[in-house]
Amino acid sequence: MNFELSEKTNKILRDKELSFEKACINDLDNILELYQERMKWFKEKEIKQWSKYLEHHSKDEFIDVINNSNYFILKENNEIIAGFELSTDSKYWNDEKAQAYYIYKLVTKVGYKNIGELVFEICKDITKNNNMSYLRLDCLKNNNKLNQIYNNHGFKLIKNGYEDYYSYSLRELKIDE
């Protein structure tokens, strides 16, 4: 995977004094703390999201993703403020032929505004630089606010589905050449 970013994205990172890098196993505890913090925030805000996230996504799952070089982080002054998985694995899409990257496990530090937008720019750059056609993600179907955020960033609703405990929406963004 080519991780080269556009000059525009690199300028944003420089201006915000942030670094973008592949996560290493030494980052794992700090990454999991981000999820704990965000889960607590959701509960305090009475947002029905991620109440059992780390029960459904084990530490071993994170270890595998990090060891496969598919988990990325943004840091400010060596503190992790965002993390996400970017892979070619289509967990819910069931279409092996798609030239797509899939965003999973996206988390941002509470109190940091518009970091998700920067993550999307990074993912778009990587998708484009690797000659992929789509950037895809899934989210909780009944989280209207999150679905609206993804829609505002150009991720079109493709379909809804249900598997095990998860009622989801599948969304994709066509990457222009």
Side-chain angles (χ1 to χ4, degrees), residues 1-174:
M1 191 183 294
N2 175 357
F3 306 109
E4 188 175 328
L5 302 179
S6 69
E7 184 52 41
K8 174 187 168 189
T9 304
N10 277 316
K11 182 177 181 336
I12 294 168
L13 288 168
R14 281 191 307 272
D15 289 350
K16 293 182 177 285
E17 298 181 0
L18 302 176
S19 65
F20 164 67
E21 53 198 71
K22 280 193 276 186
C24 66
I25 210 67
N26 291 338
D27 296 318
L28 182 59
D29 289 339
N30 292 325
I31 290 167
L32 294 175
E33 283 177 26
L34 269 184
Y35 289 91
Q36 292 286 359
E37 180 182 307
R38 183 55 72 179
M39 288 167 47
K40 181 181 175 193
W41 184 86
F42 281 140
K43 187 174 183 178
E44 289 169 357
K45 300 290 183 187
E46 298 180 358
I47 298 170
K48 293 187 185 289
Q49 179 83 28
W50 285 10
S51 61
K52 297 181 180 184
Y53 191 83
L54 293 177
E55 290 177 33
H56 296 294
H57 299 283
S58 69
K59 188 172 186 175
D60 287 342
E61 183 180 324
F62 280 89
I63 290 169
D64 288 344
V65 173
I66 291 169
N67 285 337
N68 289 329
S69 297
N70 290 334
Y71 198 89
F72 301 90
I73 53 177
L74 287 174
K75 287 183 174 180
E76 179 184 69
N77 298 320
N78 289 320
E79 179 184 12
I80 299 172
I81 62 166
F84 62 96
E85 176 185 353
L86 188 65
S87 76
T88 56
D89 177 24
S90 63
K91 294 175 184 170
Y92 300 107
W93 289 80
N94 300 320
D95 60 349
E96 297 174 17
K97 296 180 184 178
Q99 290 292 308
Y101 280 123
Y102 301 83
I103 303 172
Y104 298 113
K105 299 179 181 67
L106 174 57
V107 65
T108 60
K109 187 164 182 59
V110 173
Y112 282 75
K113 301 284 186 198
N114 302 316
I115 295 300
E117 184 174 336
L118 180 54
V119 168
F120 293 148
E121 289 304 315
I122 289 167
C123 291
K124 286 184 217 176
D125 285 353
I126 293 170
T127 303
K128 189 173 188 174
N129 288 336
N130 286 279
N131 299 313
M132 298 297 232
S133 301
Y134 299 96
L135 188 54
R136 292 177 167 172
L137 48 76
D138 62 88
C139 66
L140 194 61
K141 179 183 170 187
N142 65 1
N143 187 329
N144 295 329
K145 183 174 182 176
L146 186 58
N147 274 284
Q148 187 60 50
I149 289 169
Y150 290 155
N151 192 62
N152 291 346
H153 285 283
F155 288 88
K156 304 295 181 212
L157 177 64
I158 302 303
K159 71 177 185 177
N160 294 311
Y162 183 82
E163 188 172 310
D164 298 325
Y165 60 89
Y166 187 42
S167 180
Y168 56 84
S169 295
L170 299 180
R171 296 184 160 275
E172 78 177 8
L173 175 67
K174 173 82 169 119

